[in-house]
Structures are given as C-alpha cells and as structure tokens.
Amino acid sequence: MKHKILTITPNPALDISGTVELVKLDEKTYVHDETRTAGGNGINAARILHRLDVPVIASGFLGGSIGREVSHLLDAEGLKHRFVRVDESTRVNMTITSLRSHRQTRLSFAGPRIQEREIDDLAKLLKMIKGCKMLVIGGSLPPRFGITNLMRIIHSAQDLSIPVVVDCPGEILKHLMSTKILLIKPNLEEFHLLTGSRVQSILEVKKRAVKLLKNISFVCVSSVQGGALLVTPNGCYYGQSPKIKVKSTVGAGDSMVAAMCAQIAKGNHSGSEILRWGLAAAAATLSEKSGCLGRASVIAMLYKKTVVKVV
C-alpha cells in the first residue's frame, strides 16, 4: 500500500438518526427511518477515503457494546481499523430531522472517561502501524483526554516524519497553532476564534489566513460567502459547491477534509484541484440523508460541476 492514511478519532460515536413529523416539547415523539452509522470526524474521513480507494486505517478509542457495534459497522463497509479498547462505553450521538420544518436537532454526548494507560496504548499503536504517510486527527476530545495528550500524539507522528492533519473544533485548534500541521479546515466561526477577528469577506479572510502559513501548509476556511477558501504557500483559491438539494449537513465537513487529504496523499499539490475535490465531496454528502456519506460516483460527478478560481 503506497499511500496509507491513519485516522484517529479520540471520541467516536454511534450516530443514530431519524425523522419526526414535528418535535413537541414535553410530549413523547416517535422517530421513524432509523439509521445507525459509525461516527466521529476521523471515522467519517476514513469512510470517505475508503470510498475513494485510498488505503486507510481508522483508530481511536472504543468501548462497551456501543464500541463493538461501531466496529461491526466499519467491518460491514470493509474499512480497516485498529482501535484501543477502553473501559467505559463509546458515546451515542443523535440527529433528528423534522419533516415539517426540514430542520435538524443534533444531540452530542461527552463520551467515555479515558484512562492514562489507554492513552499510552494509543501512542504505542501509532508507532506500530508501518508505512503510514499521513495522520488525520478528527473530532472532539473525550473526558480526561486533553490538549496535552493530543499534542503527544501529534509529536509522535512528527518524530516519525508523518504529516498531521487536524480537523477538530476551533477551541481545540487554537491551542495547536504553534506546531507544524499539514492541513486545517475551520469554518468561518472557528476561524474567528483562531484569529481573534470578525472578518467576513474572501479577501479579509485570505489576509488573515496567510499569516497562519508559518506553521500550517494548507488553511481551508469554509462558510466564506457561501463557499470555501483554500490558502497555500503557492496561491489562494476560492470555490463553491455545485447546487444540490441539501438533505443533511452531518459529515459534510469531514468529507471535504477526506477528499482534500486524498489528493495530497496521491501527490497532487495543486491547490485548485485539492479544493475542487473537497467541495465536490462535501456536496455529495450534503445530498445524502443523515448518516449516509457521499458516494464515490456522486463525488466524481459533482467534481466536474465544481468551479474554483484563483483569488
């Protein structure tokens, strides 16, 4: 396997989604169209990478019967994984879509408390996986697994000359700005948190993002004037996803990160192409119902309709 990507999801989840006619407070609401999928930013990225035929291994912490179900779901997709087993149970996340308003309610739980020996096991696992060309860390952090633990994983990868992609919430990203990172993809709100600004326009965001290139090779900011901006040492690019009917936003950002990582892992460092594939993957997932990520054939079709320009 020439290009192998390892994804680490510190706080995976069993994502349960369904539909209701209308949520009524203080009344029992019956949920229909139940879907159960393996979730978490890093896991979603791994699922898209697998669909794009990029060799990938998913890792992180899993525990209890919920963790076993997540493992079985990944097995069903044919996705390779090597998780560290933990004492406490993996969390459940819920996404409920109202058929009447087409709005979603998303409930995300804290997750299991991670023990020190379990953190040590994850650090050892990274060194055991040979041939890894890129590490993608995605999602929130579970209780007792803090920034210091995350930095330990990043430094272990850097010691092995493995480039690191971080797709974590903005409050986590802001603690990592002084370390070398290959790619980040904050949305505009998270970018405001990172830069201490309230910039809105493409050119204003570009000006701020360029300053982050000191330690980060690719800075992609989504939700900028209806599209996404990718800033690299070799140029800046802006594009918008093709027009599609949005069914769910769950996993769209993870899909975008995965498609961009796939291009970089294949040796394609064209900022325009990286962003174009990322936008296509995000749109493909947006067009699926909650819990169902974009299909490779749809990503390829939407790629042809995606336009990216130099800014």
Side-chain angles (χ1 to χ4, degrees):
M1 292 193 291
K2 188 176 180 181
H3 304 295
K4 184 189 295 181
I5 297 179
L6 169 67
T7 73
I8 290 181
T9 309
N11 204 13
L14 173 64
D15 284 347
I16 302 178
S17 58
T19 61
V20 299
E21 185 64 28
L22 182 68
V23 175
K24 296 181 180 179
L25 299 181
D26 299 322
E27 291 189 25
K28 183 183 292 186
T29 302
Y30 291 97
V31 182
H32 307 279
D33 305 316
E34 179 183 328
T35 301
R36 302 167 78 93
T37 55
N41 291 33
I43 286 179
N44 285 339
R47 292 172 64 200
I48 288 292
L49 286 164
H50 178 63
R51 295 178 187 194
L52 294 175
D53 293 324
V54 177
V56 60
I57 297 176
S59 186
F61 301 114
L62 285 179
S65 60
I66 300 299
R68 287 192 291 274
E69 183 171 354
V70 170
S71 292
H72 294 328
L73 288 167
L74 294 178
D75 288 339
E77 290 194 39
L79 178 59
K80 293 184 177 180
H81 55 87
R82 292 183 63 179
F83 285 90
V84 172
R85 302 298 303 185
V86 297
D87 291 340
E88 296 193 4
S89 179
T90 294
R91 62 186 178 144
V92 171
N93 286 344
M94 301 191 72
T95 301
I96 304 299
T97 303
S98 169
L99 296 175
R100 188 174 298 183
S101 68
H102 303 290
R103 302 288 296 274
Q104 290 186 323
T105 299
R106 299 170 67 173
L107 304 176
S108 183
F109 292 85
R113 292 169 294 182
I114 306 300
Q115 308 299 320
E116 195 63 37
R117 59 179 170 76
E118 296 164 349
I119 296 171
D120 290 340
D121 288 342
L122 184 62
K124 293 174 184 176
L125 179 64
L126 180 62
K127 296 181 180 181
M128 291 171 57
I129 298 178
K130 299 178 180 179
C132 180
K133 302 297 182 182
M134 183 186 298
L135 170 63
V136 179
I137 303 174
S140 63
L141 304 183
R144 296 184 183 174
F145 186 91
I147 297 297
T148 301
N149 303 121
L150 183 62
M151 288 299 299
R152 178 182 173 188
I153 299 295
I154 293 174
H155 290 153
S156 294
Q158 292 170 338
D159 289 343
L160 295 169
S161 299
I162 299 172
V164 180
V165 173
V166 181
D167 181 27
C168 292
E171 64 268 18
I172 298 173
L173 275 180
K174 69 179 182 180
H175 293 288
L176 307 178
M177 291 299 95
S178 62
T179 191
K180 294 290 184 181
I181 296 175
L182 178 64
L183 166 71
I184 62 172
K185 193 215 67 65
N187 59 32
L188 187 58
E189 184 177 341
E190 292 171 324
F191 186 74
H192 290 160
L193 182 62
L194 292 180
T195 59
S197 69
R198 298 301 299 173
V199 291
Q200 298 291 330
S201 72
I202 295 171
L203 293 181
E204 288 174 329
V205 173
K206 171 185 172 181
K207 185 177 179 180
R208 292 277 183 169
V210 165
K211 296 179 180 179
L212 300 179
L213 295 179
K214 179 180 179 181
N215 291 315
I216 304 168
S217 300
F218 297 91
V219 179
C220 183
V221 186
S222 60
S223 306
V224 181
Q225 293 187 201
L229 176 71
L230 178 64
V231 177
T232 81
N234 299 318
C236 303
Y237 311 88
Y238 177 80
Q240 295 181 330
S241 296
K243 297 293 183 181
I244 48 92
K245 181 179 180 180
V246 177
K247 295 183 180 179
S248 172
T249 60
V250 177
D254 310 332
S255 301
M256 185 175 189
V257 169
M260 291 192 291
C261 288
Q263 291 303 304
I264 297 171
K266 292 175 181 178
N268 183 358
H269 287 80
S270 164
S272 177
E273 286 295 284
I274 291 170
L275 181 57
R276 193 177 171 192
W277 278 106
L279 288 166
T285 293
L286 287 168
S287 68
E288 297 283 351
K289 69 177 183 178
S290 183
C292 298
L293 302 180
R295 291 163 288 167
S297 60
V298 178
I299 294 173
M301 180 268 292
L302 291 173
Y303 164 80
K304 297 177 182 178
K305 299 181 179 181
T306 305
V307 178
V308 170
K309 63 180 181 180
V310 178
V311 294

